[in-house]
Amino acid sequence: MIQKSEDALTYLELGEFEKAKSIYSVLLDRDPLDPGSISGYYMASFWDHRLDLILKTREGKERGKLLLGFFSDFEIEITKRGFLDTETYQKTQTCILQEAADHLKLAYQWEGANALDKDLLRELTACLIKIGDYKMANEVLLYAGRQATPVLNYYLAETLCMLGREKDGIPLYRTAFLSDPQLFPISIVRYPPMRGAIQKAMELGTKEEEWKEIVPILCYREGLFRPPVKLNAEIIQTWFLELKRLTDSKQRSGGNFKLDARIEQFALAILDCADELRSREALLLAKSLV
């Protein structure tokens, strides 16, 4: 039984879905309530049913896009069924995302970044990060730099940190959070200090939209975002103007969780990064708010 379960997992990871489904069918006959067999049979069936269409689709961008579209549907169904934290899901995810990444990389290598629009670049880098191919993710993100968006900045920050280049990655994380915490892609994060901040945020907030606002605040309070040298006054002035806008908005309309969190984030950023001689006014406002 144990050997058959291991064989089925291997077949899932290799994309041999018909073989995996056959084994899970036998395992379910023996134990219809076994969670691993139930989830494995569903996943193998899902992809086996779509395999003919996938193989008939042109290699490169077309097949990569098709795989990602199917995977999006797959994740929705897996989440509904409570299979997201299973080993069968991890094996299947690795298989499908690796295949999708391989085909999008083909398109990237054949035609360059122009072959991939912003959505596909985002999906390709997400695939690469999820399967741990940070070197290739970094190459794609740097090549596509002119198409940078806040989401791609998050991806580049995570990639650089996981490549051991925290000195470059942490400032990008700081900038991305100041741009929009709601775009923070929690599911792709593996960088240990950021994972720690996410876990603490989940204990403090009840909803994902709240966790995303809390994470950067924790990063400032724990020193993760503190730069080795103070930033230039022009950057601080931009943050100062945004902090004033946010506080004015609170005075006019009253506070709410999101607004209060943004105010605290900008205030902490100024306190961490501003030089007292060049940004005295900004520091005084920030100190009065936290």
Side-chain angles (χ1 to χ4, degrees):
M1 287 281 286
I2 293 174
Q3 184 60 49
K4 282 189 175 295
S5 295
E6 292 297 323
D7 289 345
L9 284 170
T10 299
Y11 286 134
L12 281 180
E13 193 166 21
L14 293 174
E16 300 276 357
F17 299 116
E18 186 176 0
K19 291 180 180 178
K21 186 170 69 171
S22 296
I23 294 176
Y24 283 123
S25 179
V26 172
L27 292 173
L28 284 171
D29 285 341
R30 296 177 181 177
D31 185 357
L33 299 180
D34 178 61
S37 299
I38 293 170
S39 65
Y41 184 83
Y42 175 79
M43 294 178 204
S45 299
F46 181 99
W47 290 103
D48 187 49
H49 179 67
R50 292 159 176 78
L51 200 54
D52 282 346
L53 178 57
I54 291 169
L55 295 175
K56 288 177 182 176
T57 303
R58 183 181 176 188
E59 293 185 339
K61 181 166 65 175
E62 287 76 12
R63 192 179 294 186
K65 286 178 67 174
L66 181 67
L67 284 163
L68 289 175
F70 283 156
F71 188 77
S72 179
D73 297 338
F74 177 66
E75 275 195 312
I76 292 170
E77 294 302 318
I78 291 303
T79 303
K80 286 179 183 176
R81 287 167 169 76
F83 297 156
L84 206 56
D85 294 324
T86 60
E87 188 174 8
T88 50
Y89 173 72
Q90 294 301 322
K91 297 292 187 183
T92 307
Q93 175 186 247
T94 298
C95 171
I96 299 303
L97 293 185
Q98 182 67 66
E99 187 72 11
D102 286 346
H103 283 280
L104 291 178
K105 281 192 288 185
L106 280 177
Y108 168 73
Q109 290 162 357
W110 290 340
E111 305 174 55
N114 289 333
L116 307 178
D117 58 25
K118 287 182 181 179
D119 288 339
L120 273 180
L121 279 171
R122 184 180 67 246
E123 291 173 342
L124 171 57
T125 50
C127 286
L128 293 167
I129 291 169
K130 284 180 178 179
I131 62 178
D133 192 350
Y134 299 106
K135 185 176 180 181
M136 186 65 190
N138 184 49
E139 180 183 329
V140 173
L141 287 165
L142 292 179
Y143 189 87
R146 67 184 185 280
Q147 298 193 49
T149 65
V151 172
L152 293 180
N153 281 339
Y154 277 118
Y155 289 166
L156 183 55
E158 174 69 9
T159 297
L160 292 172
C161 287
M162 290 301 289
L163 286 171
R165 295 173 54 189
E166 291 96 333
K167 183 179 178 182
D168 300 315
I170 292 298
L172 268 175
Y173 256 132
R174 183 175 60 228
T175 299
F177 274 115
L178 287 168
S179 176
D180 190 348
Q182 290 303 312
L183 296 177
F184 180 43
I186 287 176
S187 65
I188 62 100
V189 176
R190 297 292 178 271
Y191 179 53
M194 195 61 69
R195 285 303 312 170
I198 291 170
Q199 292 302 318
K200 290 179 182 177
M202 288 180 174
E203 295 169 6
L204 297 171
T206 57
K207 303 174 183 177
E208 184 171 318
E209 63 185 31
E210 292 180 355
W211 308 339
K212 291 181 176 182
E213 299 291 341
I214 294 171
V215 167
I217 292 171
L218 292 174
C219 290
Y220 285 110
R221 293 196 175 278
E222 296 178 4
L224 182 62
F225 283 175
R226 187 173 300 127
V229 296
K230 299 300 183 181
L231 303 188
N232 67 61
E234 289 76 15
I235 293 174
I236 303 301
Q237 181 65 17
T238 301
W239 296 352
F240 175 47
L241 293 175
E242 179 62 11
L243 183 58
K244 287 174 61 177
R245 186 190 70 78
L246 291 169
T247 53
D248 288 346
S249 177
K250 181 175 179 178
Q251 289 175 356
R252 288 194 306 271
S253 58
N256 56 58
F257 185 92
K258 182 176 176 179
L259 181 57
D260 290 344
R262 296 287 172 91
I263 288 172
E264 185 170 358
Q265 184 189 176
F266 273 92
L268 289 171
I270 290 170
L271 289 175
D272 258 9
C273 304
D275 179 271
E276 191 163 358
L277 291 176
R278 294 178 295 169
S279 305
R280 179 177 172 77
E281 189 179 2
L283 280 166
L284 287 173
L285 177 59
K287 287 176 182 177
S288 71
L289 294 169
V290 295

